[in-house]
Amino acid sequence: MIFKVFYQDSALEVPVREKTKVLYVEAESERDVRTKLSPFNYNIEFIQELAGAHLEYEKQNENFKVTENV
């Protein structure tokens, strides 16, 4: 499954909407996503599973790239 992760670079800073970044991760579950990203110390705001038409829509985005080395 592909998940879209909304995050901030540092878990130590207060979240600011304008600094929110997006990352696409292939994982088995939301828990698996959190496990894979834990070494990076991101402040994860939201994790969304992508499937069907929503996944196809996201693939059209020029920034769509599934992170491989997590």
Side-chain angles (χ1 to χ4, degrees):
M1 292 183 277
I2 305 292
F3 291 88
K4 184 176 183 179
V5 181
F6 296 87
Y7 72 97
Q8 304 281 321
D9 281 327
S10 175
L12 302 176
E13 295 180 17
V14 176
V16 178
R17 182 181 301 174
E18 290 78 17
K19 293 183 180 180
T20 298
K21 297 181 181 180
V22 173
L23 182 68
Y24 299 93
V25 178
E26 186 169 356
E28 295 297 318
S29 65
E30 183 176 327
R31 174 178 246 169
D32 191 25
V33 172
R34 290 184 182 279
T35 301
K36 288 181 175 186
L37 296 178
S38 64
F40 299 100
N41 199 31
Y42 291 147
N43 183 1
I44 297 174
E45 296 178 24
F46 185 67
I47 299 175
Q48 180 178 26
E49 181 181 343
L50 300 178
H54 192 175
L55 177 58
E56 294 305 315
Y57 175 80
E58 290 289 340
K59 285 181 178 179
Q60 294 174 10
N61 184 345
E62 64 185 36
N63 297 325
F64 180 83
K65 182 175 185 219
V66 178
T67 304
E68 307 256 340
N69 55 357
V70 193

